[in-house]
Amino acid sequence: KTNNTIDVLSNLSIIKEKLFSSNDNLTASVYFDRLSSNGYNLRPVSPSLTAPKFSNYTFFPQIKYRFNNSDLLKISSRIFIQEQNDIQQITTEGNSKLTNSLDYLTDWNNGLTFLHKFTPSFKSEIKLYFSRYLTDSKSTFQSDGNIYKQSRFDQYLYKSELKNDFILNEQNYIVAGVGYFNESVEADRIYGGKKAASLYYIYIQEEWIPSKLFDFVIGTRFDNHSDYAPRLSPKFSALIKPFDFLKIRASIGSGFKAPTLQQLYLDFSNAQVGYNVFGSSNIRESFKRLQKQGQIEKILIAPENIQKIRAENSVGFNLGIEFTPFDFINTSINIFRNNVRDLIEASPVAIKTNGQSIFTYFNLNKIYTQGIETSFTLNPFEGFSFSASYQYLESADENILNQIRNGEISKTGSSGRIRLVQESEYGGLFNRSKHSGTVKIDYQNKGLGLTANLRGIIRGKYGFGDTNGNGILDDKSEYIPGYAVWNFTITQEILNYLNIQFGMENIFDKTNPEFIPSLPGRIIYGGIQFSIH
């Protein structure tokens, strides 16, 4: 088992019919999982692990009870607990010292849904949701056990929604609803100690099917956020089916997205990978804290240039064709264009001494993304499936494009002289590959109880940060080379109650410690699963 990684899980399901009457039933399940690892280190010279040692616990109970043919109740809860241990080397008063860090994370989600059918053509659904996200971090000096730093982040989120479905006739179907959410966060590093935000929204959508050839959907949503101006977001889509083997889809619509309090105020360290994520409001203070500890190796974007993020607004267009000439072949192609103002983007601002990144959130003033997506699926015989997908993507900040065209952005050329940036050198938005794709091969033999699959994730080169100081992606040194990661899994079923699994992630041991520390190299694992009926 790679990195001494152990995953133990269990799942219990209960199905009971006719509890109290002839048409009621109860379905319940409980899932438990414990995942632990000693982490890994791609930089042996650093006392800090690239991915720290951790233990994760997940508890997920669900209950579904159908009172009768008209009433259904669903209750679910998910509790995730994480404990992370690491060693950090810090610099204080000119001296280097080692600290032991202990981080706890609790993520608790609860949901309740009640569905009632008034008539065969009218039903209502009430959804209630509550979550709590809590992190508690503590670092002590190895030499004397004194506390070096301590922090806490506590977030609550409440959601409620009433959704109504109306079937007017065979051609018209309406969905309408109203909802509310309230979010609050309390943390040591938030100005004033506590922040809160709320949102009211209402939406309506009609689907019109005038014939087997056409299917139209039109709708709109109104958002009223406590911290941002109200916004109306309409949308229209159409589906045309001229033949059974051909479908044409088109849509156009706008959207609104307010920043979450996590995007504004988060102060988070990831256990499995070891990176940090800071909200845009506290990035300067949190960054200076790590810099004071001597954990910053390279600055990609100066934190003092980062502003508090704003809500984003978008307009998107899609046109797609799906072609199925035979039952065993399916192909599709989709052309898209998205114009976004104040896009909320997560991007690295610095590299830590353990090789991991520090991320925060930005607004990109006026950007667009456009491109083509294609997919192909082949099922030549039962039990075998091959599929592949490819995406070509172009992206750009229109304000930067205009500045380049107006000769307002320069760089140091190969000769050492300052010159203007050419439009052909501009690489668009960071962290976006122009070329990417996937390959999947699945095989299943029910008679032998054998299942095997191979997955390939392919990504072309992409920009990681600004190294020449002009604030844009325009130099070869600012790109991460493209790569491919291949994963393989095989599972054998024995006597209908025992599954034996073997797998290998990152088969060809692809690593890039400097820029992709989330790739730990080749991981080999195995598992045994018992099923009791």
Side-chain angles (χ1 to χ4, degrees), residues 403-415:
Q403 290 175 12
I404 293 174
R405 291 164 181 166
N406 295 332
E408 299 174 8
I409 300 180
S410 59
K411 64 182 292 186
T412 301
S414 56
S415 63

Side-chain angles (χ1 to χ4, degrees), residues 70-82:
S70 300
D71 298 291
L72 175 66
L73 177 67
K74 299 178 184 178
I75 301 175
S76 66
S77 181
R78 179 184 178 274
I79 302 173
F80 174 79
I81 299 173
Q82 180 183 85

Side-chain angles (χ1 to χ4, degrees), residues 95-107:
N95 299 318
S96 294
K97 297 182 179 181
L98 294 178
T99 65
N100 294 325
S101 64
L102 181 60
D103 300 310
Y104 289 100
L105 183 152
T106 302
D107 191 359

Side-chain angles (χ1 to χ4, degrees), residues 443-462:
Y443 175 74
Q444 182 178 28
N445 189 316
K446 295 181 180 180
L448 297 177
L450 179 68
T451 301
N453 59 70
L454 177 68
R455 300 282 189 275
I457 303 171
I458 304 165
R459 184 171 188 183
K461 69 175 184 178
Y462 59 94

Side-chain angles (χ1 to χ4, degrees), residues 306-326:
I306 300 171
Q307 305 297 321
K308 182 177 178 180
I309 54 176
R310 304 175 296 275
E312 70 176 48
N313 297 276
S314 63
V315 176
F317 168 78
N318 288 267
L319 176 63
I321 298 175
E322 183 178 342
F323 182 57
T324 310
F326 305 101

Side-chain angles (χ1 to χ4, degrees), residues 240-361:
I240 304 175
K241 297 177 286 186
F243 307 100
D244 292 338
F245 58 84
L246 180 64
K247 296 179 181 178
I248 302 172
R249 306 176 189 271
S251 68
I252 185 170
S254 63
F256 166 84
K257 181 182 178 182
T260 66
L261 294 183
Q262 285 187 332
Q263 291 172 331
L264 290 168
Y265 307 110
L266 185 64
D267 192 321
F268 172 68
S269 176
N270 180 273
Q272 283 96 330
V273 184
Y275 60 82
N276 292 83
V277 183
F278 299 133
S280 64
S281 296
N282 55 283
I283 174 62
R284 300 181 189 183
E285 179 182 291
S286 300
F287 181 86
K288 288 180 180 178
R289 183 183 79 245
L290 295 186
Q291 193 172 40
K292 185 179 179 181
Q293 297 170 6
Q295 294 191 45
I296 306 300
E297 181 176 294
K298 181 189 295 184
I299 298 176
L300 304 176
I301 300 174
E304 56 267 21
N305 296 331
I306 300 171
Q307 305 297 321
K308 182 177 178 180
I309 54 176
R310 304 175 296 275
E312 70 176 48
N313 297 276
S314 63
V315 176
F317 168 78
N318 288 267
L319 176 63
I321 298 175
E322 183 178 342
F323 182 57
T324 310
F326 305 101
D327 292 340
F328 58 90
I329 295 179
N330 178 269
T331 63
S332 68
I333 183 170
N334 183 59
I335 301 171
F336 62 90
R337 165 85 182 202
N338 299 295
N339 292 309
V340 187
R341 185 178 294 276
D342 294 325
L343 174 71
I344 299 174
E345 176 87 341
S347 182
V349 296
I351 305 296
K352 298 169 61 181
T353 53
N354 67 350
Q356 293 292 350
S357 298
I358 297 174
F359 295 87
T360 192
Y361 300 93

Side-chain angles (χ1 to χ4, degrees), residues 17-55:
E17 297 183 358
K18 299 180 180 179
L19 269 70
F20 306 109
S21 63
S22 59
N23 59 357
D24 72 335
N25 63 71
L26 172 70
T27 302
S29 65
V30 178
Y31 171 88
F32 174 79
D33 177 71
R34 182 188 184 274
L35 173 65
S36 62
S37 174
N38 285 344
Y40 60 88
N41 195 357
L42 299 177
R43 295 187 173 194
V45 296
S46 173
S48 302
L49 295 175
T50 302
K53 180 180 179 181
F54 69 89
S55 297

